Amino acid sequence: MESKPRAVLEINRYVNVTTQIQYFNHISPIEFEGPDSTNPLAFRYYEPDRVVAGKALSEHFKFACAYWHSFGNTGADPFGAPTRRFPWDDELDPLTRARRKMDAAFEFMTKLGLEFFCFHDYDLVDEGASLTESEQRLDVITDYALENMNASGIKVLWGTANLFSHPRYMNGAATNPDFNVVAYAGAQVKQALDATIKLGGENYVFWGGREGYMSLLNTDMKREQEHLARFLHMAKDYARSRGFKGTFFIEPKPCEPSKHQYDYDCATVVGFINQYDLADDFKINVEVNHATLSGHTFQHELQVAADAGMLGSIDANRGDYQNGWDTDQFPNNLYELTEAMLLFLRAGGLQGGGVNFDAKLRRNSTDLVDLFYGHIGGMDLFARAFIAADKILCESPMEEMRAERYESFKSPDGRQFEKGDLSLQDLHRLTLENGKPAQTSGRQELFENILNQHL
Ligand code: XUL
Ligand code: CO
């Protein structure tokens, strides 16, 4: 590959061009050193330019940094105060604080070779006292973001609006029973769409943390879901009228913070998108920990989205099998991710999106360098799993073994069944003619062994 996706690693970007401020000055750019490297600040598997399955790894993944976790998560939890004090948070003025945070973000992404980021409106800058003040702040900070993006080559994978933190959304945003709150949410989405479009964002996400209910006793569910659909149409129509060509993603999650969220899982969202005539513009952003919270595997959710032609993007992280909440840890399970990458490859990759590390450091990981370890581990794991999955598909008998299980549908009767040319009476007649079916092993252990042998 001649083109260098990591051209962003220009030495003058280690110090912010305008401010000369450096936050990660003890850390050099992270390079690929191969599996034998003992350097904890190097990639062992992620070689951005390496071509696998016809494309450079960096193009398959489009790795993105989640602005809210990496530069906003202080380690606070419901039982304890923050454990991390980010140096940029020492600034008292909100716009200065936002600029310093952005300096840190661009220095971090440049050193790591992350070519994309994702943001909520109020990750970029604190919400103002009024909508107008928020809008003014966003205007200023998006100008500054553009300067940094132009200097570094880093792009926006997707933008979104935070419609869940402010108390005004305690009863929902687009699904709030109070029309005035619905209108406020609309105003905020307009603003977030304007910011995303200004920054050349490739996609726009809707995650509805408060779009659900705490109790059905006080909720008109059908009406709320119709409001949500109406709201999404309005957002889409507005963005299209402003020239936005990207894809909208809905990000399913079953619960937390609501007791029940309307975008419960991929199957629910596929149904919603189709029912409300949103399929031309909307696809799905599948998050690993949201999948496990809904009682499915990540692999299952990828498969459901892919089968509906809606596999848009991935929020990469992992949950904890003993805990019932969204722990958002960095990915580290090679076996499971390889299984997921088999589906990713079979689906032909993501439609418009990328792999966004919606993952946060543990509360007791308190150094800035820990941010590097988390992302290096995640990027390396994706590369390693992807390379293994490609080998399994190209070199192992797995695909043939899978196809073989359906071989009988190649018989004349099997073909007729698939075409819809047989009736239930035909199945009755055929069974009388053919007798008892022979027992055929599903060979699950062998499939699992083949996967394991390629790790
Ligand atoms: C919450 C979550 C969000 C979305 C964006 O669980 O995943 O961060 O990704 O709003
Ligand atoms: Co997410």
Side-chain angles (χ1 to χ4, degrees), residues 68 120 158 160 164 205 207 251 253 287 290 315 326 358:
W68 52 102
H120 300 87
W158 49 260
T160 188
F164 43 89
V205 161
W207 170 65
E251 183 178 321
K253 187 175 182 184
E287 178 160 330
H290 297 181
D315 267 12
D326 200 12
D358 194 354

